[in-house]
Each structure stands twice: as structure tokens, then as C-alpha cells.
Amino acid sequence: DQINTSVSGTNTTSANNTTTTSRDSIHPIICQIGGNNPEYSGKATQVVEDEFGYDEINFNIDCPSDRVSGKREFGAVLMKKIDTAVAVMKAIQNSARNIPVSVKCRVGIDEHDGLEYVVDFIR
């Protein structure tokens, strides 16, 4: 079992913790961070690790919704903005001191949907 919650690493960093289970009863607890700003995403990482005691951070490069990938320009759209995705991921990795960091991404986006593209993206 695991609990997943989400944090948006944008200008309005916010936490969305909708769980009702005690944190002491189920581990790991994984926080998913979504954002396009390295500084704010790094700060969000520090907060969820230091203040809330999460066991892992997951960087979301998966959400295709217009609300996320459209207007707010994070989520799946970062697969087309590789420099931004790398900068945010580095900030998250550098801010996470004692917990692992993972990435949730799509197999592709729009016309970039082949195996070669996703392998290059991961590198």
C-alpha cells in the first residue's frame, strides 16, 4: 500500500492532501510535484520532505489536461520543453536530501510519440 498526494510547484505553491489515513500507518507516502519553475519546485520538495515527512517525490510530466499542460504550462507539455523539464528535475533532485525522486511521464506527446523520442527524453 502507498499514499499519493500532490503539490504544485508554481507561483502559488499549494498542497493537496486528501487522505484520511494516519501517516504513521501506511508507507511509503509519495508526493507528486508538478511545476515549471525550478526554484518553486525545489522549495516545494524541501517542504514536503522536511515539514511533512514524505518518503518519496514524484515529478509529474504526465498530466495532459488543459488546466495543467495548457494554461499553467506544466505536466505533459514539459515533454516538449526538455530544457525546462531538466531544470525542474535538477532542482527537485538537489532539494531532496534523504528521499528518492522519480518521474512520471508519458510514452510521448502529440507528434512526439515514438520509442526513440521517449528514450532520448529520458536521457
Side-chain angles (χ1 to χ4, degrees):
D1 291 337
Q2 68 185 28
I3 296 175
N4 291 297
T5 62
S6 62
V7 170
S8 173
T10 62
N11 290 342
T12 56
T13 300
S14 63
N16 176 16
N17 187 347
T18 58
T19 61
T20 57
T21 306
S22 168
R23 287 180 195 241
D24 295 331
S25 65
I26 298 177
H27 282 276
I29 301 174
I30 302 166
C31 182
Q32 189 173 80
I33 292 180
N36 61 13
N37 182 305
E39 179 184 355
Y40 293 133
S41 297
K43 287 180 182 179
T45 298
Q46 291 172 345
V47 168
V48 299
E49 180 179 8
D50 297 342
E51 295 182 28
F52 295 107
Y54 284 84
D55 300 308
E56 182 179 333
I57 300 292
N58 177 262
F59 178 36
N60 181 348
I61 308 178
D62 180 60
C63 185
S65 79
D66 287 339
R67 187 179 67 121
V68 172
S69 281
K71 182 178 178 184
R72 296 173 75 190
E73 295 188 346
F74 68 94
V77 74
L78 290 181
M79 290 192 71
K80 291 190 209 179
K81 298 180 176 191
I82 295 174
D83 292 341
T84 301
V86 168
V88 172
M89 184 62 186
K90 284 182 180 180
I92 291 171
Q93 287 177 313
N94 291 337
S95 296
R97 290 182 283 284
N98 297 305
I99 58 176
V101 175
S102 60
V103 175
K104 178 182 176 186
C105 70
R106 296 189 155 278
V107 175
I109 183 170
D110 297 337
E111 68 279 359
H112 307 289
D113 61 357
L115 181 60
E116 186 176 322
Y117 182 80
V118 77
V119 168
D120 286 342
F121 179 80
I122 292 169
R123 289 184 191 160

